Amino acid sequence: MTIAPVQRTATTAWTDARLILALEEVVETELNRHLKAAKEWMPHEYVPWSRGRDFDGVLGGEAWSLDQSKVTPLARISLVVNLLTEDNLPSYHHEIASMFGREGAWGTWVHRWTAEEGRHGIAIRDYLLATRAVDPVELERARMAHMSEGFESDNAHSMLQSVAYVAFQELATRIAHRNTGHHSGDELCDQLLAKIANDENLHMVFYRNLLKAALEIAPDQAMRAVADVVLNFRMPGHGMPGFERSAAQIAIGGIYNLRIHHDDVLQPVLRHLKVMEITGLGPVGQHAQDELGAFLDGLNAQATRFDERQAALLARRAAAAAARA
């Protein structure tokens, strides 16, 4: 599909429908790039089936206990959060299919993205059960509770905010998976999560490049969308049972926290898009850019305070452990 070059237009002229049509060619280009870059991998190859055995219950196997897996306590928490986030894929698919449609390049991307995300949940769950890394009963109860609540994006009202959100969120997810693997204590878990993280990185590149095109054709609206997303960012799993406690442990453990969010998620995307260097904005876009800059300064200061508290807490823990030894 070929469309005429799009010129910058007044903010009020860009409805979601017009933006989706205007970006169709960009989506097609990015979809083709993605399909060339994506490498096929098989989830079952990263699951150590030989470690598996029957659980108690119908099959009368061995009951789960905490000492049956070498996965670290921190990684166990993060793996469950990551898996429950992936479990809500039906809701995510519904939202993006409703937003972007099921036809043309948009529709092809929606289904391809869903298929790739689907194997993440499959692989993580199989790994956790085969290695007995988590209590299977508690995991299933958490899945039922989380999915029964459903999911509604903070950005479902705006196509541009939806694109901006996933540009950051896919990178955040990639980093969360990668760091979880590094902290897992299991080389195979690290390898599996590296594969998943690579998928997430390719998804980020797709949405980041789409956001770049949106900033070129509708700069004021896109800048406002970026600012709104950054100022109000939440991970998609925020509604799961016990999320706040798990997130705090994940933050202290260094898997994902304010410093990582600022330095490794927000700043790389914003720098690549040169968001703070865009000129010629109207009042709406300029205000959003200024607001974004002020927020990032404040977030960096918050991250510094977190770094200090984290270092002090870890030092106290290390001292207590040494005293017990």
Side-chain angles (χ1 to χ4, degrees):
M1 175 182 180
T2 302
I3 58 175
V6 181
Q7 302 298 322
R8 290 190 178 199
T9 307
T11 299
T12 54
W14 286 112
T15 63
D16 280 357
R18 288 199 67 227
L19 281 164
I20 288 172
L21 178 61
L23 290 168
E24 175 86 19
E25 189 171 344
V26 180
V27 172
E28 184 174 0
T29 297
E30 290 305 312
L31 172 63
N32 290 334
R33 180 204 53 76
H34 176 85
L35 294 175
K36 290 179 181 178
K39 304 297 183 183
E40 182 182 61
W41 64 277
M42 299 299 164
H44 72 274
E45 294 181 358
Y46 293 87
V47 178
W49 302 103
S50 59
R51 296 190 209 170
R53 55 192 184 277
D54 294 344
F55 286 99
D56 57 336
V58 176
L59 297 179
E62 183 181 357
W64 180 84
S65 65
L66 193 61
D67 61 352
Q68 292 170 349
S69 170
K70 63 182 180 181
V71 167
T72 65
L74 175 62
R76 181 178 295 111
I77 293 168
S78 188
L79 281 162
V80 170
V81 169
N82 291 352
L83 176 55
L84 293 181
T85 300
E86 300 285 358
D87 278 336
N88 251 340
L89 183 59
S91 289
Y92 309 148
H93 174 85
H94 173 75
E95 288 219 346
I96 65 171
S98 299
M99 172 71 71
F100 301 141
R102 300 171 184 270
E103 306 298 328
W106 281 104
T108 302
W109 166 254
V110 166
H111 295 303
R112 173 72 188 202
W113 175 87
T114 302
E116 292 183 1
E117 290 288 346
R119 68 183 168 202
H120 300 168
I122 291 169
I124 295 173
R125 175 169 281 100
D126 286 349
Y127 169 83
L128 292 179
L129 295 180
T131 63
R132 291 180 169 246
V134 300
D135 183 341
V137 174
E138 291 303 313
L139 181 64
E140 176 61 9
R141 287 173 177 166
R143 185 189 71 84
M144 288 294 295
H146 186 40
M147 292 191 69
S148 294
E149 289 295 320
F151 173 82
E152 183 176 355
S153 170
D154 296 331
N155 307 289
H157 62 286
S158 165
M159 177 267 186
L160 279 176
Q161 281 193 207
S162 295
V163 170
Y165 176 75
V166 288
F168 295 106
Q169 181 266 322
E170 293 283 6
L171 181 53
T173 304
R174 173 213 170 210
I175 289 172
H177 282 306
R178 200 71 190 94
N179 286 345
T180 299
H182 291 330
H183 285 80
S184 68
D186 183 353
E187 183 179 353
L188 186 59
C189 181
D190 194 20
Q191 292 174 9
L192 168 61
L193 294 181
K195 284 293 183 181
I196 293 173
N198 188 61
D199 282 355
E200 303 289 10
N201 194 63
L202 291 176
H203 298 164
M204 179 276 293
V205 172
F206 177 93
Y207 286 117
R208 185 194 65 191
N209 292 350
L210 193 57
L211 181 57
K212 179 179 180 181
L215 281 162
E216 292 172 355
I217 67 173
D220 286 321
Q221 277 180 268
M223 184 67 73
R224 183 67 264 170
V226 169
D228 287 342
V229 165
V230 171
L231 268 63
N232 301 289
F233 186 88
R234 298 193 295 177
M235 291 295 274
H238 60 80
M240 69 180 60
F243 178 78
E244 290 78 10
R245 177 176 174 78
S246 295
Q249 293 170 298
I250 288 168
I252 293 169
I255 287 178
Y256 197 91
N257 53 41
L258 277 179
R259 174 54 61 199
I260 292 170
H261 183 63
H262 178 275
D263 290 1
D264 300 334
V265 176
L266 299 182
Q267 290 292 355
V269 174
L270 294 172
R271 281 197 301 268
H272 181 87
L273 298 175
K274 300 182 179 179
V275 167
M276 303 309 297
E277 300 171 29
I278 295 175
T279 60
L281 295 166
V284 170
Q286 187 61 60
H287 178 73
Q289 190 181 55
D290 294 342
E291 192 175 8
L292 179 60
F295 175 81
L296 291 170
D297 289 342
L299 185 65
N300 186 50
Q302 290 180 48
T304 298
R305 291 193 293 272
F306 171 83
D307 292 341
E308 294 167 353
R309 293 195 298 269
Q310 179 194 32
L313 176 59
L314 294 177
R316 289 196 298 271
R317 288 181 177 178
R324 290 193 298 269

